[in-house]
Amino acid sequence: MLDLTPKKITERTALRINPCKTCQPVGAMYAALGVHKCMPHSHGSQGCASFHRMYLSRHFKEPAVASTSSFTEGASVFGGGSNVKTAVKNVFDIYDPDIIAIHTTCLSETIGDDLNSYIMDMDIPEGKLVVHTNTPSYVGSHINGFFNMMCGFINYLTKKSGTPNGKTAIFPGFVNPGDMRELKRLATLMNVPFTMFPDTSGVMDAPMTGRFEMYPDGGTTVPEIAGLGDCGEILALGSITSIEPAELMKKKFKVPYTLLPLPIGVEATDRYIMELSRISKAEVPRELEEQRGQLIDILLDSNQYTHRKTVAIYGDPDTVVGLTALCLEMGMLPKYVITGTPKEEFTREVRALLERYGETDAVVKANTDLFELHQLIKNEPVDLLLGGSYGKAIAKAENIPLVRAGFPVLDRYVHSYLPLVGYTGMIRMVEHITNTLMDRQDADCADEDLEVVM
Amino acid sequence: MVRRQSILEERKKSIIDKASFCRGDGSGISCGKSSVSGAVSQRACMFSGARVVLNPITDAYHIIHGPIGCASYTWDIRGSLTSGSDTFRTSYSTDLRETDVIFGGEKKLEAAIDELVAQESAKLIFVYGTCIVGVIGDDIDAVCRRAEEKHGIRVIPVKASGFSGTKSQGYKLACDAIMQLVEPYKNIPKVKGINILGDFNLAGEMWIIKSYMKKLGIPVVSTVTGDASCESLLRMPSAQLNIVQCAGSSTYLATRMEEELGIPFIKVSFFGAEDTTNSLIRIAQALGDEAAVRKAVAFTTEEAEAAEAFLQAYRPKFEGKKAAIYVGGGFKAISLIKQFNEMGIETVVVGTQTGKEEDYEIIEHLVNENTVILDDANPSELEEFMLEKGANILVGGVKERPLAYKLGIAFCDHNHERKHALAGFEGIRNFTREVNLSINSPVWEYCR
């Protein structure tokens, strides 16, 4: 069952098998959902919007609302101008968002629709806003879509009034709402006033209230996005995901940025906290010192079960970089580290990390797929898989335990509510990883070796 | 009264509220059209329609020719089970990049087919053209033809540019692809037996239907497409009769087979006791097989009685409960209304993504005066009508589940994510249990 993958690795240049990425628009849709009272709008065929909403719904177990231009044959010949104009009018009339965030698709990009001029020609109701970004599906991955949508918001909305607002902008990267909550908690504890952009907490992890809120309470507000230009600086988390919007902010508004890895693992979390401390001059509070101490204690306790265990890590580039650091800190041996996103910075960052730990044998690859990962594992197996749900087939076929982390996780619950980042996130991951390895030991060991105390 | 202001003017023609509005002029419901621009449609596209119908063919290779998204979103998305190969659960794509879009993707597609054939012993490949393939003008017919000659296997193009039609039109493309596959076998001699069309073996439902056929002594020649293989599909033209379960996706195929292969068809449904009973008897009758009719009557009488006894125990738990239905096809909606009636649950909202006019006519006759009927509904309409009509449970698909839960309404997936077989007499028990578990979950105590 599920074991059709040949062991022999043949070179493929044209055929992608079992992708480890998806297309830009879904990333753009997710970013737009992190803006308060925003309707993400897909300028393409209606299938695109439907697929992205389904994908997001399956990961977050939440409604993901977005509208579509519903391209027809005619639109694809004469351009989608009239479709998007009708769409914007209808969306404001019926769904009444504050802002519509349009992203393009492979179709509208290929026929050359010029959203700038379409938006200029639109009758936009007083007090309402329409922004757009270009997200050609044939460039990059959903990660590009995410940062392109951020750039779209910044280009349309952000201003520099000249009066500093005393805030730090935090770009969280492509992470779950649970991560965004933890990043905000840390910033608050470190006494740093901030704007997080985008912020899907309160939107994609909204509580059950007995009503369907098309626009839940969460999300970065339009005035907050406008005010990004008056922020003192930017903490751009996830160097691959956040560099472009950070560069844009620097170029347009002279707001300096510090590029940090996603705060996954002890060291990356330390760095995030030290940066926050640099900004606010605040001492690290006892609460955080205590939590960090607990984490180290846990690492010591569990170390013997994780040390030198081999792991294959796959998923989105910044998340995988973070998870690689986390595994190394746990004494594990990342053997295969891959992403589907075509970004060579990824391999450089992962290699640099591995080298610091003296690990140089790992296979590190961007722009590859889960089929190749499976083939690698068939040739030399690992003790653990770490990544999204689509690794499930490999786990089953090779009888390797899988710990789910990253995007997408379609077959488990609660993951999006809780963080990977911060000391909290690492404590959570240490529990998951160690318990998974120990469950495996219990299940596999001979009866006489079964131990109650471990 | 409904909060009418939240309904788009263009959408009013697609909603029937028998009691109060939108209709009465005898014009019928407006359906089968593209979604209104700006609508938060629950619908997918032409590509999606073709992809979901062909996906369950277990030993077929499906290459999605386009940027990666269309392959990612349709990778192993249907819970179709297989008794043979599980090739269909692997995702293949050309992952088109910018240079391919500029210079054309034909070469890459050709290379992708070569790489696939070099690696696997493929007998049948479907090549799906997505939106931009239609726009950049790749001649995938020619690529597929050349690949067939080069490799001596079947390589069938499915030109499914998303913009060129609705999901239902995508179903037709899939049916055409199947006809293209069986074309060389059109004149094979007839044998005793039927084809089962429009069941996708979700949660093993095809196996339930096949087991019934076995009980009735009716051989199954081929299934389309649940648990089908390339080989079984090629036998398809030899059947005496086609039975069509998912009418929305497969009536067109049945019609083509009737015209071109002389195989008559009947529409059936295996959802609920009434429809399952009728369907089994009608299949036996259509074959003119007296013995099978007797067996069908005996079998269904016994099973229906057992189902009735089972339902009796549950009816008190459902007293006063109301259901909303939002599913893909009209025929399924019709069965579900009947099934809810059998369970003692009134259907107060019913909608479909791709229902036809004649489906909506039947629905109108089945439901009570104050039931709302919608075509291609969006979340706000569903919310509005479910709350207004006091629905306790929604039956729908993946995008509707979180919506229902947010409203404090129970949910049962009757789509790709169904957890248990819902067809046949087994399905009555599963469906009833699932509806009960959701409607009477302790979680609701904390919501209200």
Side-chain angles (χ1 to χ4, degrees):
Chain A
M1 171 68 182
L2 295 178
D3 193 14
L4 300 161
T5 310
K7 191 169 170 183
K8 184 165 174 278
I9 301 176
T10 46
E11 204 206 334
R12 285 180 278 127
T13 57
L15 188 63
R16 173 73 64 212
I17 315 178
N18 296 348
C20 186
K21 65 173 176 185
T22 182
C23 66
Q24 285 211 38
V26 77
M29 189 179 283
Y30 182 51
L33 286 166
V35 172
H36 186 61
K37 282 207 85 177
C38 175
M39 175 70 87
H41 181 85
S42 164
H43 187 52
S45 300
Q46 64 183 22
C48 302
S50 180
F51 280 144
H52 304 148
R53 292 178 55 213
M54 176 191 76
Y55 208 64
L56 294 173
S57 262
R58 285 181 166 169
H59 176 83
F60 295 101
K61 317 292 179 196
E62 289 289 309
V65 172
S67 54
T68 166
S69 291
S70 292
F71 266 55
T72 55
E73 197 93 49
S76 69
V77 176
F78 303 112
S82 78
N83 287 55
V84 73
K85 283 172 205 163
T86 311
V88 164
K89 185 183 177 305
N90 282 338
V91 170
F92 281 130
D93 279 357
I94 303 304
Y95 306 119
D96 194 33
D98 285 351
I99 177 168
I100 296 173
I102 303 171
H103 61 262
T104 57
T105 56
C106 50
L107 175 60
S108 50
E109 283 293 326
T110 308
I111 62 171
D113 268 4
D114 179 5
L115 264 302
N116 276 312
S117 65
Y118 291 163
I119 292 173
M120 290 220 288
D121 289 347
M122 278 174 191
D123 259 337
I124 298 166
E126 188 72 28
K128 302 288 182 180
L129 295 159
V130 178
V131 306
H132 98 277
T133 192
N134 295 88
T135 48
S137 318
Y138 42 78
V139 174
S141 74
H142 56 294
I143 296 299
N144 298 57
F146 184 84
F147 65 65
N148 281 336
M149 192 72 249
M150 287 176 70
C151 294
F153 281 110
I154 293 168
N155 277 324
Y156 274 86
L157 305 177
T158 303
K159 301 196 170 54
K160 195 178 186 89
S161 69
T163 317
N165 61 14
K167 291 207 246 177
T168 297
I170 300 175
F171 294 169
F174 195 116
V175 294
N176 278 321
D179 294 306
M180 299 191 188
R181 281 180 195 273
E182 179 65 9
L183 294 170
K184 290 195 288 187
R185 182 182 80 98
L186 293 174
T188 306
L189 278 170
M190 291 307 298
N191 214 9
V192 174
F194 62 88
T195 295
M196 175 163 287
F197 168 66
D199 182 1
T200 58
S201 66
V203 182
M204 296 313 284
D205 63 355
M208 196 276 181
T209 57
R211 276 209 69 79
F212 167 60
E213 303 290 347
M214 191 165 263
Y215 313 104
D217 282 343
T220 317
T221 62
V222 169
E224 283 171 333
I225 300 173
L228 288 173
D230 295 326
C231 285
E233 63 176 287
I234 302 163
L235 293 182
L237 309 181
S239 56
I240 291 165
T241 314
S242 295
I243 187 162
E244 298 223 8
E247 271 291 330
L248 178 66
M249 286 295 299
K250 186 175 158 192
K251 232 189 287 167
K252 273 189 95 165
F253 306 107
K254 308 267 179 306
V255 183
Y257 67 85
T258 307
L259 205 55
L260 297 171
L262 286 180
I264 299 176
V266 186
E267 207 176 302
T269 303
D270 287 350
R271 274 189 73 186
Y272 176 59
I273 289 170
M274 291 327 287
E275 290 295 333
L276 291 168
S277 161
R278 173 184 59 75
I279 293 164
S280 66
K281 314 275 186 299
E283 291 279 309
V284 177
R286 198 185 127 63
E287 187 179 337
L288 279 181
E289 293 280 8
E290 189 181 37
Q291 199 186 19
R292 187 181 189 281
Q294 286 179 322
L295 169 58
I296 306 304
D297 201 280
I298 290 166
L299 282 175
L300 280 168
D301 292 341
S302 60
N303 161 280
Q304 53 185 319
Y305 291 97
T306 57
H307 195 56
R308 305 309 280 170
K309 288 282 192 291
T310 54
V311 57
I313 310 169
Y314 58 92
D316 296 338
D318 286 317
T319 309
V320 171
V321 169
L323 291 171
T324 305
L326 181 142
C327 286
L328 286 165
E329 288 168 357
M330 291 175 70
M332 298 174 77
L333 209 64
K335 198 173 167 74
Y336 309 117
V337 186
I338 70 139
T339 182
T341 296
K343 283 270 183 196
E344 282 316 312
E345 295 92 320
F346 167 80
T347 45
R348 282 198 293 276
E349 283 188 34
V350 174
R351 285 237 164 271
L353 261 174
L354 290 166
E355 266 158 34
R356 276 182 37 215
Y357 285 81
E359 307 290 355
T360 49
D361 293 340
V363 176
V364 183
K365 265 188 143 173
N367 196 22
T368 184
D369 52 41
L370 292 179
F371 187 81
E372 184 172 357
L373 176 65
H374 193 176
Q375 289 185 310
L376 291 166
I377 289 172
K378 271 196 177 299
N379 285 284
E380 272 186 59
V382 287
D383 298 311
L384 186 76
L385 281 159
L386 185 55
S389 295
Y390 281 110
K392 194 171 187 169
I394 305 177
K396 184 94 175 158
E398 304 308 322
N399 193 19
I400 297 170
L402 164 64
V403 169
R404 285 161 183 78
F407 179 84
V409 174
L410 312 169
D411 61 338
R412 289 293 185 272
Y413 293 88
V414 194
H415 55 88
S416 58
Y417 290 79
L418 299 173
L420 276 183
V421 301
Y423 305 129
T424 317
M426 185 159 184
I427 289 173
R428 186 174 155 246
M429 285 318 286
V430 174
E431 183 181 22
H432 275 313
I433 291 173
T434 313
N435 287 0
T436 301
L437 291 168
M438 293 171 80
D439 281 346
R440 188 52 185 258
Q441 184 177 323
D442 284 345
D444 289 353
C445 75
D447 287 358
E448 59 269 32
D449 292 333
L450 187 72
E451 289 182 88
V452 170
V453 183
M454 288 172 89
Chain B
M1 278 291 282
V2 176
R3 283 188 285 134
R4 308 285 185 243
Q5 67 274 17
S6 71
I7 311 281
L8 286 163
E9 200 50 48
E10 292 93 320
R11 290 275 316 136
K12 288 190 177 168
K13 293 195 200 79
S14 297
I15 302 170
I16 299 176
D17 184 340
K18 285 173 83 174
S20 57
F21 103 111
C22 281
R23 249 200 93 211
D25 59 356
S27 59
I29 195 161
S30 171
C31 58
K33 307 222 165 63
S34 286
S35 299
V36 177
S37 289
V40 178
S41 169
Q42 304 295 81
R43 262 183 188 168
C45 60
M46 183 127 155
F47 162 72
S48 157
R51 180 79 176 92
V52 293
V53 169
L54 294 174
N55 181 63
I57 303 172
T58 57
D59 58 355
Y61 291 80
H62 304 263
I63 301 182
I64 318 294
H65 184 39
I68 198 64
C70 299
S72 290
Y73 306 124
T74 57
W75 178 10
D76 207 8
I77 54 166
R78 280 201 109 144
S80 298
L81 304 189
T82 168
S83 60
S85 166
D86 47 24
T87 297
F88 70 117
R89 301 187 68 177
T90 302
S91 163
Y92 298 93
S93 164
T94 49
D95 188 7
L96 289 184
R97 311 312 294 170
E98 195 157 22
T99 46
D100 306 316
V101 175
I102 296 166
F103 299 111
E106 286 180 30
K107 281 212 172 69
K108 194 169 192 185
L109 174 60
E110 213 155 333
I113 296 171
D114 290 347
E115 286 172 14
L116 175 62
V117 174
Q119 182 185 297
E120 315 275 343
S121 54
K123 279 180 288 192
L124 169 61
I125 299 174
F126 290 108
V127 173
Y128 300 77
T130 59
C131 281
I132 56 168
V133 171
V135 176
I136 62 178
D138 279 3
D139 186 352
I140 67 169
D141 285 332
V143 174
C144 291
R145 218 167 30 239
R146 285 200 296 273
E148 287 202 330
E149 283 163 19
K150 185 172 175 187
H151 301 295
I153 57 169
R154 297 306 307 273
V155 183
I156 295 176
V158 185
K159 288 182 282 182
S161 289
F163 59 83
S164 54
T166 59
K167 193 173 177 186
S168 322
Q169 285 164 298
Y171 298 153
K172 282 191 179 175
L173 282 184
C175 297
D176 287 335
I178 293 168
M179 286 305 282
Q180 193 177 333
L181 175 69
V182 303
E183 177 71 33
Y185 299 83
K186 268 184 161 172
N187 298 315
I188 56 173
K190 291 274 184 280
V191 297
K192 181 174 190 255
I194 62 164
N195 294 320
I196 303 170
L197 271 51
D199 187 279
F200 305 101
N201 203 28
L202 303 179
E205 289 175 349
M206 179 64 88
W207 298 331
I208 292 177
I209 304 173
K210 278 177 101 170
S211 77
Y212 293 172
M213 293 305 128
K214 201 170 175 189
K215 284 202 173 79
L216 270 51
I218 298 171
V220 176
V221 177
S222 183
T223 58
V224 187
T225 53
D227 200 26
S229 66
C230 178
E231 200 199 336
S232 75
L233 286 173
L234 298 181
R235 288 199 299 270
M236 214 172 72
S238 67
Q240 289 171 297
L241 175 73
N242 283 329
I243 65 167
V244 183
Q245 152 93 334
C246 172
S249 67
S250 303
T251 307
Y252 172 75
L253 177 63
T255 312
R256 274 199 67 181
M257 285 169 74
E258 183 166 49
E259 284 165 7
E260 297 169 38
L261 309 173
I263 305 175
F265 73 90
I266 56 171
K267 288 188 191 179
V268 296
S269 165
F270 294 101
F271 297 123
E274 185 187 334
D275 281 1
T276 304
T277 299
N278 288 342
S279 296
L280 289 176
I281 296 171
R282 280 174 47 233
I283 294 165
Q285 284 170 341
L287 288 167
D289 184 338
E290 280 308 319
V293 174
R294 279 195 302 277
K295 282 182 200 160
V297 171
F299 172 67
T300 54
T301 309
E302 191 182 325
E303 286 290 330
E305 270 169 22
E308 174 55 29
F310 175 87
L311 280 173
Q312 252 174 23
Y314 276 89
R315 277 197 200 106
K317 299 178 200 287
F318 297 148
E319 218 170 275
K321 302 290 188 203
K322 293 172 186 164
I325 297 170
Y326 192 71
V327 291
F331 220 62
K332 191 198 273 180
I334 293 167
S335 281
L336 279 168
I337 297 168
K338 291 188 202 164
Q339 197 171 354
F340 273 126
N341 282 341
E342 289 167 9
M343 292 160 68
I345 294 175
E346 184 195 350
T347 301
V348 289
V349 178
V350 49
T352 84
Q353 290 178 42
T354 59
K356 311 260 179 329
E357 231 169 286
E358 57 268 29
D359 301 328
Y360 285 112
E361 274 168 29
I362 300 173
I363 290 171
E364 269 200 80
H365 286 109
L366 276 175
V367 296
N368 294 333
E369 262 307 296
N370 55 358
T371 298
V372 177
I373 306 170
L374 324 109
D375 181 65
D376 186 25
N378 58 51
S380 9
E381 290 166 5
L382 284 175
E383 175 194 15
E384 186 160 321
F385 290 119
M386 285 195 297
L387 291 180
E388 185 196 274
K389 300 292 176 185
N392 302 94
I393 184 160
L394 171 66
V395 176
V398 52
K399 289 190 293 293
E400 288 80 55
R401 179 193 293 270
L403 171 67
Y405 287 161
K406 280 282 184 264
L407 300 176
I409 292 175
F411 184 82
C412 175
D413 196 303
H414 211 293
N415 203 353
H416 303 190
E417 292 184 9
R418 70 184 65 168
K419 303 292 178 245
H420 306 100
L422 302 176
F425 295 104
E426 288 86 336
I428 295 170
R429 293 179 179 80
N430 288 335
F431 184 68
T432 306
R433 281 193 200 105
E434 220 173 289
V435 167
N436 177 53
L437 284 180
S438 192
I439 267 187
N440 293 315
S441 163
V443 72
W444 305 122
E445 297 301 317
Y446 304 100
C447 301
R448 287 165 189 148

